[in-house]
Amino acid sequence: ADVSVDRVVANSLLEADGELTGAVEGPLIERTKDHALAEVCEDFGCDVADSVAVGDGANDAPMLDAAGFGVGFQPKPGIEQHCDAVVGSMAELEALFRDRGVLD
């Protein structure tokens, strides 16, 4: 499926001499993902309650709780309780988004 993306918020994996160093830099080092979600929503003039978030681990739990619709993607133990839905593949995620009207 061809999907348009307005913004990506992600850390970067650093490399040296063509190899990953194991270090990470980016906007999610000092702030949490729920703060990044709130910032993106503010920038686009929408309420966080109208947002969708997808995550799998403990660092995603606050974001999944804050989002209007939180989706666990093969979530780690203990994360499912923070999710409104759980999927196990990209195909399932696409179907869920289409069913909910997130994707056309």
Side-chain angles (χ1 to χ4, degrees):
D2 197 19
V3 177
S4 172
V5 176
D6 295 314
R7 176 162 323 150
V8 173
V9 179
N11 290 329
S12 299
L13 303 176
L14 300 179
E15 64 175 272
D17 300 321
E19 294 187 16
L20 295 175
T21 65
V24 179
E25 71 177 9
L28 301 175
I29 298 294
E30 294 183 18
R31 293 181 323 204
T32 59
K33 293 180 181 180
D34 56 318
H35 290 117
L37 177 63
E39 184 177 280
V40 168
C41 287
E42 184 177 323
D43 289 350
F44 283 95
C46 68
D47 194 303
V48 175
D50 295 326
S51 68
V52 175
V54 180
D56 69 341
N59 63 330
D60 297 316
M63 174 187 66
L64 293 166
D65 288 336
F69 187 64
V71 181
F73 189 93
Q74 299 180 3
K76 310 256 186 312
I79 300 307
E80 201 166 320
Q81 67 192 24
H82 299 275
C83 303
D84 298 303
V86 171
V87 297
S89 69
M90 291 301 287
E92 286 180 34
L93 183 62
E94 179 182 2
L96 176 65
F97 282 178
R98 289 193 188 286
D99 288 346
R100 293 200 47 103
V102 175
L103 292 175
D104 296 327

